[in-house]
Amino acid sequence: MANGESASHPTLIGSVQRALRLLEAVAAHADGAPAKQLARETGLPLPTTYHLLRTLTHEGYLQRENGVFVFGEAAEAIGRAGDRRRQRAHASEALAVAGRKLDAAVYFAVYREGEVEMVAVTDDPERPPVEEWADFRTTAHAHAIGQCLLAQLDEASRKEHLSRYPVQSITPFSMRTEGDLLHRLDTVRRGQVAVERQEYALGTVCSAIPIQVGAAAATLGVSLPSHELHRLRSVTERLRKMAETALTTLAFSISI
């Protein structure tokens, strides 16, 4: 490796390390801290501290308010990304528990900024989820999760979505026209459940129920092999009963 670098002794950039120590020091003070205090706490020379603080402020990782340094938007964005990762992990854990109890693949999705977003899916080799062979976002009309989300949208939002992603048949069982879809969505709204049989993936049947998590359109869904269609109704009802206990975790994963 170049410059004597090895797997056991990687090359470290001292200025980056010092900048990170400063960020850690700022994080320890909810109301911020002045440069001199940060220099003492990190053991850095005051001139070096000022130089790094100016750089971090210029790049948006810090900002100076009333003589103290606090996190800027760039640092907060990193923190939000970490929060999203942790909360999605929690949502995945909640779904894994549900999947084991239901003996089914379980999904949690939301409709955010005009797109179907799959937040979490169980990953059990005994009950594998449906393979995303066609983009879930562009084929919302063909799967139960998408149908459940579209049914929750207002008319304008639904029309806008379908103008971008028109109804198209992707299996022999898929709906073929927008009129067919709109009729299905009326049924979904009345029954508070979407059911599709091999419309997205051959050999698979799915259902999805709407869940209330603030203003967001959200859904929990399950999938089963098509030869287990006889289980789908009972599994869906059990999922509906289990949903309430999972709402706190799922709602927070949407809010961030």
Side-chain angles (χ1 to χ4, degrees):
M1 296 183 181
N3 300 322
E5 181 180 354
S6 69
S8 58
H9 297 90
T11 298
L12 303 179
I13 308 302
S15 59
V16 175
Q17 290 179 305
R18 290 188 287 273
L20 291 173
R21 298 296 84 74
L22 275 176
L23 290 173
E24 291 169 354
V26 172
H29 300 279
D31 298 320
K36 290 182 179 179
Q37 181 178 355
L38 294 171
R40 288 195 305 271
E41 293 178 356
T42 57
L44 296 175
L46 189 57
T48 300
T49 300
Y50 277 125
H51 175 71
L52 291 171
L53 289 173
R54 282 195 298 269
T55 302
L56 290 168
T57 300
H58 176 76
E59 297 297 328
Y61 290 94
L62 295 177
Q63 61 185 41
R64 191 174 185 182
E65 296 178 352
N66 302 318
V68 300
F69 289 89
V70 297
F71 276 160
E73 178 58 32
E76 291 174 352
I78 293 174
R80 288 195 295 271
D83 287 341
R84 284 194 295 272
R85 181 182 59 80
R86 286 188 293 273
Q87 290 304 321
R88 288 191 178 220
H90 292 159
S92 295
E93 291 170 5
L95 291 195
V97 172
R100 288 192 293 271
K101 291 181 178 179
L102 297 173
D103 193 21
V106 185
Y107 311 75
F108 170 50
V110 300
Y111 194 85
R112 183 167 16 209
E113 298 180 356
E115 302 289 353
V116 172
E117 179 180 335
M118 197 68 68
V119 178
V121 183
T122 54
D123 185 21
D124 184 346
E126 297 296 322
R127 285 292 180 175
V130 175
E131 180 180 354
E132 188 178 1
W133 71 274
D135 193 330
F136 284 142
R137 295 172 299 176
T138 64
T139 58
H141 63 280
H143 49 77
I145 285 170
Q147 293 169 14
C148 191
L149 292 173
L150 292 176
Q152 296 177 61
L153 302 182
D154 59 55
E155 183 177 359
S157 298
R158 188 162 48 252
K159 283 184 176 180
E160 194 278 332
H161 179 95
L162 294 175
S163 71
R164 289 183 288 120
Y165 305 127
V167 174
Q168 57 180 322
S169 181
I170 61 174
T171 79
F173 301 94
S174 301
M175 284 175 287
R176 301 183 183 277
T177 69
E178 185 172 316
D180 291 338
L181 174 65
L182 296 178
H183 178 72
R184 171 74 63 80
L185 298 184
D186 284 339
T187 301
V188 172
R189 280 189 290 272
R190 289 195 301 271
Q192 293 296 290
V193 62
V195 177
E196 58 94 353
R197 302 172 179 86
Q198 305 189 81
E199 294 175 34
Y200 175 81
L202 295 177
T204 304
V205 294
C206 305
S207 67
I209 58 172
I211 58 175
Q212 297 298 316
V213 284
T219 182
L220 282 169
V222 293
S223 66
L224 294 170
S226 56
H227 66 267
E228 295 185 19
L229 174 61
H230 62 281
R231 294 184 57 223
L232 188 60
R233 181 173 181 178
S234 63
V235 167
T236 303
E237 289 308 309
R238 289 174 62 197
L239 178 69
R240 194 187 302 275
K241 293 176 182 178
M242 295 166 64
E244 294 182 3
T245 62
L247 282 183
T248 300
T249 295
L250 300 179
F252 192 61
S253 68
I254 290 176
S255 68
I256 60 175

